[in-house]
């Protein structure tokens, strides 16, 4: 890591199965811990059940709520911008990197370049020739992260198709980057989450790919590769959450991320 971040205390939290509310709450808690002088965190998580995560400013009308309910797909709102992502419990691999803001570049693009470096390295180790998009590309369905216009700053493509989306947000004292790597695609379920679209499964597959299309490895092997790459990048030791952190996660998950006020209206009940 070409930064003094590697001289700090980092922990790797291996992949956990989390519902959408806890998945987002752990990011906030990791940020609080890092800002208070505790360890910085790299972590992986598996969305259980499968979840549609909305971008921070995304209108709730983009969602086919009845379809999601019938299909058993949870819906949560992220604190990061961008379009909605269908996180399939099998097909999606998600990660977060959390560190104090003072230890990272102030420029957004520089921070993306730094924090996406281990993600691109992990793709290479999996045998996937992936890199940032070489040029912008027009949207085919703007509400969907994987189908909206491609941004060379943080969208990762393989074979001309998107395999990863990454986003950042900053609190007063910390930076959180989280992202989704597509291990395997399910166009029908992905598209089913969205209201009022005209994208066909074939059209989806022209824009989106899974790791399993480029490399002969299991999901478990992909997860292990990403974990080890992040750990090496940060010189992190395997760790876990404290009891206090877990309690704080439940407070934030219940008070914010499971509330209709946050999910449907973008109003944070904990900020009132």
């Amino acid at each position: 890591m070409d930064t003094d971040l590697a001289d700090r205390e980092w922990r790797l939290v291996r992949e956990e199965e989390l519902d959408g509310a806890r998945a987002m709450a752990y990011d906030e808690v990791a940020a609080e811990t890092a800002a208070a002088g505790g360890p910085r965190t790299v972590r992986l998580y598996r969305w259980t059940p499968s979840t549609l995560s909305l971008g921070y400013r995304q209108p709730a009308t983009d969602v086919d709520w009845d379809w999601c309910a019938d299909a058993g797909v949870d819906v949560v709102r992220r604190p990061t911008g961008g379009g909605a992502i269908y996180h399939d419990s099998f097909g999606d691999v998600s990660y977060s990197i959390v560190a104090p803001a003072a230890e990272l570049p102030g420029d957004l693009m520089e921070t993306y370049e730094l924090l996406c470096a281990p993600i691109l390295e992990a793709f290479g180790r999996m045998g996937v020739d992936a890199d940032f998009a070489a040029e912008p590309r027009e949207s085919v369905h703007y509400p969907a992260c994987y189908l909206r216009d491609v941004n060379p700053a943080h969208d990762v493509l393989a074979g001309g198709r998107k395999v990863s989306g990454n986003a950042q947000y900053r609190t007063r004292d910390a930076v959180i980057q989280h992202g989704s790597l597509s291990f395997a695609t399910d166009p029908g379920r992905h598209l089913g989450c969205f209201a009022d679209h005209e994208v066909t499964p074939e059209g989806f597959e022209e824009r989106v790919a899974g790791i399993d299309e480029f490399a002969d490895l299991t999901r478990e092997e992909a997860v292990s590769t990403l974990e080890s790459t992040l750990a090496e990048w940060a010189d992190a030791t395997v760790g876990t959450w404290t009891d206090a952190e877990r309690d704080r996660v439940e407070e934030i998950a219940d008070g914010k991320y499971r509330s209709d006020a946050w999910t449907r209206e973008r109003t944070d009940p904990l900020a009132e």
Side-chain angles (χ1 to χ4, degrees):
M1 185 192 303
D2 186 20
T3 171
D4 64 355
L5 280 177
D7 297 329
R8 311 297 183 176
E9 180 188 1
W10 284 83
R11 64 180 167 187
L12 166 71
V13 180
R14 295 193 184 278
E15 187 182 57
E16 304 173 282
E17 291 195 8
L18 301 170
D19 66 4
R22 289 189 179 94
M24 295 297 93
Y26 269 114
D27 277 349
E28 292 200 26
V29 171
E32 291 174 356
T33 296
R40 298 99 186 111
T41 300
V42 289
R43 70 184 185 102
L44 272 70
Y45 48 102
R46 184 173 188 168
W47 303 74
T48 306
S50 298
T51 302
L52 180 72
S53 72
L54 303 180
Y56 174 67
R57 298 187 180 279
Q58 189 151 26
T61 51
D62 287 346
V63 181
D64 188 331
W65 293 92
D66 290 339
W67 187 95
C68 288
D70 291 344
V73 174
D74 198 6
V75 182
V76 70
R77 184 178 295 277
R78 303 188 308 271
T80 49
I85 301 177
Y86 169 66
H87 304 277
D88 189 80
S89 190
F90 173 78
D92 178 277
V93 177
S94 287
Y95 77 91
S96 297
I97 302 173
V98 184
E103 298 174 2
L104 290 167
D107 181 77
L108 180 65
M109 295 302 103
E110 289 182 23
T111 308
Y112 269 125
E113 184 175 357
L114 173 66
L115 300 186
C116 284
I119 308 307
L120 296 176
E121 174 67 19
F123 274 116
R125 294 183 183 186
M126 293 178 205
V128 180
D129 183 12
D131 204 346
F132 290 121
E135 57 186 9
R137 195 172 179 186
E138 291 184 358
S139 169
V140 294
H141 186 60
Y142 190 75
C145 170
Y146 274 80
L147 297 174
R148 62 169 42 188
D149 46 308
V150 171
N151 190 324
H154 48 74
D155 289 330
V156 177
L157 275 60
R161 297 151 71 198
K162 189 168 178 175
V163 290
S164 177
N166 307 276
Q168 284 180 27
Y169 71 104
R170 293 178 181 245
T171 66
R172 183 177 60 183
D173 300 310
V175 174
I176 301 94
Q177 177 169 303
H178 56 201
S180 163
L181 283 68
S182 176
F183 176 73
T185 64
D186 188 332
R189 284 179 66 83
H190 201 129
L191 293 170
C193 296
F194 295 92
D196 302 324
H197 71 84
E198 298 180 356
V199 183
T200 65
E202 293 76 18
F204 180 92
E205 291 175 339
E206 289 178 1
R207 292 293 293 262
V208 185
I211 292 168
D212 64 348
E213 297 180 48
F214 302 99
D216 183 18
L217 76 171
T218 65
R219 185 186 186 281
E220 291 72 21
E221 290 169 333
V223 167
S224 178
T225 300
L226 182 55
E227 286 178 343
S228 63
T229 306
L230 284 168
E232 290 176 25
W233 173 81
D235 193 20
T237 57
V238 176
T240 187
W241 307 103
T242 66
D243 290 342
E245 285 177 316
R246 294 183 191 279
D247 289 344
R248 178 67 172 143
V249 161
E250 294 307 316
E251 177 186 346
I252 296 172
D254 284 339
K256 178 178 180 179
Y257 288 105
R258 293 193 180 103
S259 71
D260 282 345
W262 173 256
T263 303
R264 293 180 182 257
E265 301 168 16
R266 194 163 51 90
T267 300
D268 182 357
L270 299 182
E272 296 176 349

